[in-house]
Amino acid sequence: MLSRPTTAQILEDCRSELSEVVAPALSDEAAAVSLAMLDEVLRNCAVRASHEIAWMMEEIDSMTAYAADSLTHMPSKL
């Protein structure tokens, strides 16, 4: 057990619990399809969460560059 799991790890643990505990107990085909769809959403969220810090860092760099560029084009009387 991790003391400080990442969001991606938490989501993957939820997926594991659903596939190992809930899925075997389902007999209704419609419920199984819903569970499969939920698993796909959780998988996509886990992948996205694992990349979000890097994406935020890239956005910080681009926003800082934009702000610096904007300052050079502002009238000096503001």
Side-chain angles (χ1 to χ4, degrees), residues 37-50:
M37 292 169 56
L38 178 58
D39 179 66
E40 185 66 18
V41 169
L42 289 172
R43 186 189 68 78
N44 290 337
C45 289
V47 169
R48 182 176 179 89
S50 68

Side-chain angles (χ1 to χ4, degrees), residues 5-77:
T6 65
T7 301
Q9 290 168 328
I10 293 168
L11 292 169
E12 288 296 338
D13 286 347
C14 289
R15 289 183 67 215
S16 293
E17 188 74 12
L18 288 171
S19 69
E20 294 169 10
V21 177
V22 177
L26 291 178
S27 57
D28 181 58
E29 190 172 323
V33 170
S34 293
L35 184 62
M37 292 169 56
L38 178 58
D39 179 66
E40 185 66 18
V41 169
L42 289 172
R43 186 189 68 78
N44 290 337
C45 289
V47 169
R48 182 176 179 89
S50 68
H51 295 291
E52 285 192 342
I53 292 175
W55 292 338
M56 285 188 286
M57 296 305 290
E58 288 174 12
E59 288 177 4
I60 288 169
D61 292 342
S62 65
M63 293 305 292
T64 301
Y66 175 77
D69 185 55
S70 296
L71 282 175
T72 63
H73 293 92
M74 278 189 172
S76 60
K77 292 189 177 190

